[in-house]
Amino acid sequence: MVLTSAQLRAAALGTLAAQPSLQAALDRMGFLQADPIRAPARAQDLALMQRVSGYRAGDLERLYPALDAEEDMLPNYGFVPRRVQALLHPRRVGALKIETQAPGLLAEVLAFVEAHPSAEVHPREVQAAFGPVRVGNAWGGQSSASTRALDGLHYQGLLRISRRISGVRLYSPAPHLAELRAAPPQTESERARAVVRLLAQLYGPLPQASLSYLLSLSGYGLPHLRSELRAALKSALDEELSSASIDGLKYVWLAGTDLEACVPSGVRMVGPFDPLVWDRRRFAHLHGWIYKLEAYTPPAKRVLGYYALPLFWNERAVGWANLKVEQGELKSELHFVSGVRQTAALKRGVAAELERYESFLQL
């Protein structure tokens, strides 16, 4: 099959297709990456505002208890419908670090949550019950041992996130995951194949090497299915994925995907974790410049800015924006790549997108 870069760019924009509701967007995506940085809003909110008309920052957190949604780990930490969570559990994991740092604490914290009168606990309640002991975390710092225990129990599928308060996760028992441990509805190979299809649909069309990388990251969500994921990718390449090479780079996508879609129009400013820009390899190949998240880069070494949002005009990424809220007003710094003509149409599109962000942020 002969494909052009323009077709791939247009097909990639298909991930931003408008959805009738927040639940419909979660169902279509299958996985929504989360991140705590708020600049000007959290990653999950930035992704949803691009897909759900009238979405406001914080709607996911506010509506979460009534949604078919769970917080869990796939290639990264995020939100999934329960049908996708059923692919991740039962999750068989080895000994967690917290088990050696604080022997017996996991069982004690689990019993505390299960016996709690409200059926959900705030991490502060657990810390008050078990003390302020701190242990090393995965980022080289120190965290409360009880909070690490809650995280470990959630990862094992023994607890779930019931809701959040101002971004803080509350924990409760997870009977639906206990049912999966008792009788998983699918075999391990079926679960692995479903994960390959989900990632190929959400992030595709994408370079085959990038899909392989996504599946290697998914070893965090499916630590006991690493070999099954590799076998599922090999099988999918033979049976379920179409492919073509452009400029020597092999792209893959789910067979049956419409790559002849109309070229989208207008301006979009998307978050750095959005499926549209998550794969930096694809971004550089299709748009001709390097985009990266510099939130963890020393300020003096930043090129794009702390939390640059790629700016799309029609199907091309033509620059980036740094947005922040100051004294109730949205402030924007816009930058365009070399050669982009700032036409009247582009300026109108930028103004409309910034107005949409003001509504999204309820300014």
Side-chain angles (χ1 to χ4, degrees):
M1 180 178 183
V2 178
L3 277 180
T4 65
S5 296
Q7 285 176 304
L8 288 175
R9 286 193 296 268
L13 264 291
T15 187
L16 298 183
Q19 300 301 309
S21 67
L22 169 53
Q23 185 67 62
L26 290 171
D27 290 342
R28 177 182 171 87
M29 296 177 76
F31 170 73
L32 172 65
Q33 185 169 343
D35 191 81
I37 294 176
R38 184 157 25 187
R42 295 188 177 98
Q44 53 269 36
D45 287 322
L46 290 172
L48 290 169
M49 71 89 70
Q50 293 293 349
R51 293 164 173 82
V52 183
S53 178
Y55 184 86
R56 300 292 182 262
D59 279 354
L60 176 60
E61 182 175 306
R62 181 174 60 85
L63 299 173
Y64 173 84
L67 293 170
D68 173 13
E70 296 287 337
E71 295 193 31
D72 214 316
M73 173 73 75
L74 216 173
N76 306 101
Y77 191 87
F79 298 84
V80 295
R82 283 193 173 185
R83 65 173 174 80
V84 173
Q85 193 181 39
L87 304 175
L88 310 177
H89 294 271
R91 178 180 285 143
R92 297 199 302 275
V93 301
L96 301 177
K97 189 174 181 179
I98 186 63
E99 293 182 85
T100 57
Q101 294 172 321
L105 183 61
L106 282 180
E108 293 175 10
V109 170
L110 178 61
F112 177 83
V113 176
E114 291 178 333
H116 199 274
S118 69
E120 70 174 8
V121 300
H122 191 288
R124 282 199 304 265
E125 296 178 273
V126 182
Q127 185 173 340
F130 292 92
V133 176
R134 301 184 71 79
V135 296
N137 59 36
W139 303 276
Q142 295 282 309
S143 297
S144 163
S146 58
T147 298
R148 298 293 292 162
L150 288 169
D151 289 342
L153 292 166
H154 177 225
Y155 181 62
Q156 291 176 324
L158 298 173
L159 295 178
R160 66 180 292 267
I161 306 302
S162 56
R163 59 191 174 104
R164 289 186 181 226
I165 297 178
S166 299
V168 177
R169 291 174 288 190
L170 274 61
Y171 297 80
S172 68
H176 70 290
L177 295 180
E179 293 176 7
L180 291 177
R181 288 194 296 276
Q186 300 180 69
T187 66
E188 293 183 342
S189 61
E190 289 171 337
R191 291 158 61 190
R193 288 197 298 270
V195 167
V196 172
R197 290 193 297 270
L198 185 158
L199 297 177
Q201 180 174 12
L202 177 60
Y203 293 98
L206 77 170
Q208 181 178 323
S210 299
L211 181 57
S212 295
Y213 177 55
L214 275 165
L215 290 169
S216 70
L217 290 178
S218 297
Y220 294 112
L222 295 158
H224 58 296
L225 296 185
R226 294 177 187 271
S227 61
E228 286 82 357
L229 287 172
R230 290 192 292 269
L233 175 59
K234 184 177 184 302
S235 175
L237 290 170
D238 293 334
E239 302 171 5
E240 298 180 89
L241 299 177
S242 298
S243 65
S245 292
I246 299 178
D247 304 326
L249 190 60
K250 184 178 180 181
Y251 276 77
V252 295
W253 61 91
L254 276 183
T257 301
D258 180 15
L259 297 184
E260 303 293 335
C262 296
V263 176
S265 61
V267 169
R268 298 286 191 98
M269 300 174 189
V270 303
F273 299 102
D274 194 287
L276 179 61
V277 301
W278 185 91
D279 181 13
R280 308 303 197 241
R281 179 188 288 109
R282 181 179 76 174
F283 187 98
H285 177 234
L286 295 183
H287 300 287
W289 56 281
I290 295 174
Y291 167 70
K292 55 185 177 180
L293 173 67
E294 296 179 326
Y296 305 104
T297 300
K301 296 183 178 181
R302 290 173 186 157
V303 176
L304 306 182
Y306 173 72
Y307 203 75
L309 309 182
L311 188 157
F312 285 79
W313 185 28
N314 301 332
E315 93 284 4
R316 284 188 175 275
V318 298
W320 64 95
N322 284 284
L323 306 180
K324 60 182 178 180
V325 177
E326 291 183 348
Q327 297 181 340
E329 293 187 4
L330 181 64
K331 304 293 184 180
S332 61
E333 294 180 2
L334 304 178
H335 304 267
F336 296 92
V337 297
S338 178
V340 173
R341 293 178 56 244
Q342 296 182 49
T343 64
L346 174 55
K347 291 178 181 178
R348 286 195 300 270
V350 168
E353 182 72 344
L354 290 175
E355 185 176 335
R356 204 160 67 92
Y357 263 86
E358 289 176 343
S359 295
F360 159 66
L361 297 168
Q362 303 181 69
L363 300 180

